[in-house]
mmCIF file of all heavy atoms in Angstrom:
data_model
loop_
_atom_site.group_PDB
_atom_site.id
_atom_site.type_symbol
_atom_site.label_atom_id
_atom_site.label_comp_id
_atom_site.label_asym_id
_atom_site.label_seq_id
_atom_site.Cartn_x
_atom_site.Cartn_y
_atom_site.Cartn_z
ATOM 1 N N SER N 62 15.848 24.411 -21.730
ATOM 2 C CA SER N 62 17.082 24.747 -22.436
ATOM 3 C C SER N 62 16.934 24.537 -23.937
ATOM 4 O O SER N 62 17.455 25.315 -24.741
ATOM 5 C CB SER N 62 18.232 23.892 -21.899
ATOM 6 O OG SER N 62 19.431 24.168 -22.575
ATOM 7 N N GLU N 66 15.514 28.868 -23.094
ATOM 8 C CA GLU N 66 14.993 29.611 -21.948
ATOM 9 C C GLU N 66 15.789 29.358 -20.663
ATOM 10 O O GLU N 66 15.285 29.580 -19.562
ATOM 11 C CB GLU N 66 13.519 29.255 -21.734
ATOM 12 C CG GLU N 66 12.648 29.753 -22.884
ATOM 13 C CD GLU N 66 11.230 29.187 -22.875
ATOM 14 O OE1 GLU N 66 10.957 28.267 -22.091
ATOM 15 O OE2 GLU N 66 10.403 29.679 -23.670
ATOM 16 N N VAL N 67 17.039 28.905 -20.820
ATOM 17 C CA VAL N 67 17.937 28.758 -19.671
ATOM 18 C C VAL N 67 19.259 29.450 -19.998
ATOM 19 O O VAL N 67 20.205 28.813 -20.462
ATOM 20 C CB VAL N 67 18.190 27.284 -19.307
ATOM 21 C CG1 VAL N 67 19.052 27.186 -18.039
ATOM 22 C CG2 VAL N 67 16.886 26.533 -19.090
ATOM 23 N N PRO N 68 19.355 30.773 -19.809
ATOM 24 C CA PRO N 68 20.620 31.478 -20.066
ATOM 25 C C PRO N 68 21.711 30.936 -19.156
ATOM 26 O O PRO N 68 21.568 30.946 -17.927
ATOM 27 C CB PRO N 68 20.280 32.940 -19.761
ATOM 28 C CG PRO N 68 19.057 32.891 -18.903
ATOM 29 C CD PRO N 68 18.305 31.669 -19.300
ATOM 30 N N LEU N 69 22.795 30.473 -19.748
ATOM 31 C CA LEU N 69 23.761 29.661 -19.016
ATOM 32 C C LEU N 69 24.483 30.427 -17.918
ATOM 33 O O LEU N 69 24.594 29.950 -16.785
ATOM 34 C CB LEU N 69 24.773 29.066 -19.994
ATOM 35 C CG LEU N 69 25.682 27.973 -19.417
ATOM 36 C CD1 LEU N 69 24.857 26.828 -18.862
ATOM 37 C CD2 LEU N 69 26.648 27.474 -20.479
ATOM 38 N N ARG N 70 24.996 31.623 -18.220
ATOM 39 C CA ARG N 70 25.821 32.319 -17.233
ATOM 40 C C ARG N 70 25.054 32.666 -15.954
ATOM 41 O O ARG N 70 25.523 32.340 -14.856
ATOM 42 C CB ARG N 70 26.428 33.582 -17.861
ATOM 43 C CG ARG N 70 27.338 34.320 -16.898
ATOM 44 C CD ARG N 70 28.178 35.332 -17.604
ATOM 45 N NE ARG N 70 29.077 36.019 -16.679
ATOM 46 C CZ ARG N 70 30.057 36.824 -17.053
ATOM 47 N NH1 ARG N 70 30.296 37.035 -18.341
ATOM 48 N NH2 ARG N 70 30.813 37.406 -16.149
ATOM 49 N N PRO N 71 23.898 33.334 -16.028
ATOM 50 C CA PRO N 71 23.169 33.616 -14.783
ATOM 51 C C PRO N 71 22.703 32.345 -14.075
ATOM 52 O O PRO N 71 22.679 32.290 -12.839
ATOM 53 C CB PRO N 71 21.989 34.468 -15.236
ATOM 54 C CG PRO N 71 21.878 34.246 -16.691
ATOM 55 C CD PRO N 71 23.245 33.964 -17.184
ATOM 56 N N ALA N 72 22.361 31.315 -14.845
ATOM 57 C CA ALA N 72 21.920 30.063 -14.224
ATOM 58 C C ALA N 72 23.052 29.432 -13.422
ATOM 59 O O ALA N 72 22.839 28.928 -12.313
ATOM 60 C CB ALA N 72 21.430 29.096 -15.296
ATOM 61 N N LEU N 73 24.273 29.474 -13.956
ATOM 62 C CA LEU N 73 25.408 28.882 -13.247
ATOM 63 C C LEU N 73 25.820 29.723 -12.041
ATOM 64 O O LEU N 73 26.253 29.170 -11.015
ATOM 65 C CB LEU N 73 26.584 28.711 -14.210
ATOM 66 C CG LEU N 73 26.399 27.636 -15.289
ATOM 67 C CD1 LEU N 73 27.621 27.566 -16.195
ATOM 68 C CD2 LEU N 73 26.123 26.270 -14.664
ATOM 69 N N CYS N 74 25.688 31.041 -12.132
ATOM 70 C CA CYS N 74 25.983 31.904 -10.976
ATOM 71 C C CYS N 74 25.027 31.587 -9.823
ATOM 72 O O CYS N 74 25.446 31.428 -8.669
ATOM 73 C CB CYS N 74 25.867 33.378 -11.364
ATOM 74 S SG CYS N 74 27.231 34.012 -12.328
ATOM 75 N N LEU N 75 23.747 31.509 -10.141
ATOM 76 C CA LEU N 75 22.748 31.177 -9.123
ATOM 77 C C LEU N 75 23.011 29.788 -8.546
ATOM 78 O O LEU N 75 22.958 29.584 -7.327
ATOM 79 C CB LEU N 75 21.353 31.239 -9.738
ATOM 80 C CG LEU N 75 20.184 30.957 -8.797
ATOM 81 C CD1 LEU N 75 19.959 32.137 -7.854
ATOM 82 C CD2 LEU N 75 18.907 30.675 -9.600
ATOM 83 N N SER N 76 23.325 28.836 -9.419
ATOM 84 C CA SER N 76 23.527 27.455 -8.991
ATOM 85 C C SER N 76 24.781 27.309 -8.137
ATOM 86 O O SER N 76 24.816 26.467 -7.226
ATOM 87 C CB SER N 76 23.619 26.538 -10.212
ATOM 88 O OG SER N 76 22.416 26.567 -10.957
ATOM 89 N N ILE N 174 15.651 28.650 -15.213
ATOM 90 C CA ILE N 174 16.812 28.829 -14.335
ATOM 91 C C ILE N 174 16.556 28.174 -12.981
ATOM 92 O O ILE N 174 17.432 27.508 -12.418
ATOM 93 C CB ILE N 174 17.118 30.331 -14.148
ATOM 94 C CG1 ILE N 174 17.588 30.945 -15.462
ATOM 95 C CG2 ILE N 174 18.180 30.540 -13.074
ATOM 96 C CD1 ILE N 174 17.722 32.461 -15.418
ATOM 97 N N LEU N 177 16.932 24.326 -13.127
ATOM 98 C CA LEU N 177 18.345 23.922 -13.110
ATOM 99 C C LEU N 177 18.941 24.134 -11.730
ATOM 100 O O LEU N 177 19.693 23.289 -11.213
ATOM 101 C CB LEU N 177 19.133 24.717 -14.151
ATOM 102 C CG LEU N 177 20.638 24.409 -14.216
ATOM 103 C CD1 LEU N 177 20.871 22.950 -14.591
ATOM 104 C CD2 LEU N 177 21.329 25.337 -15.214
#
Side-chain angles (χ1 to χ4, degrees):
S62 179
E66 293 168 350
V67 184
L69 192 58
R70 182 166 181 170
L73 290 179
C74 284
L75 182 74
S76 298
I174 293 172
L177 179 62

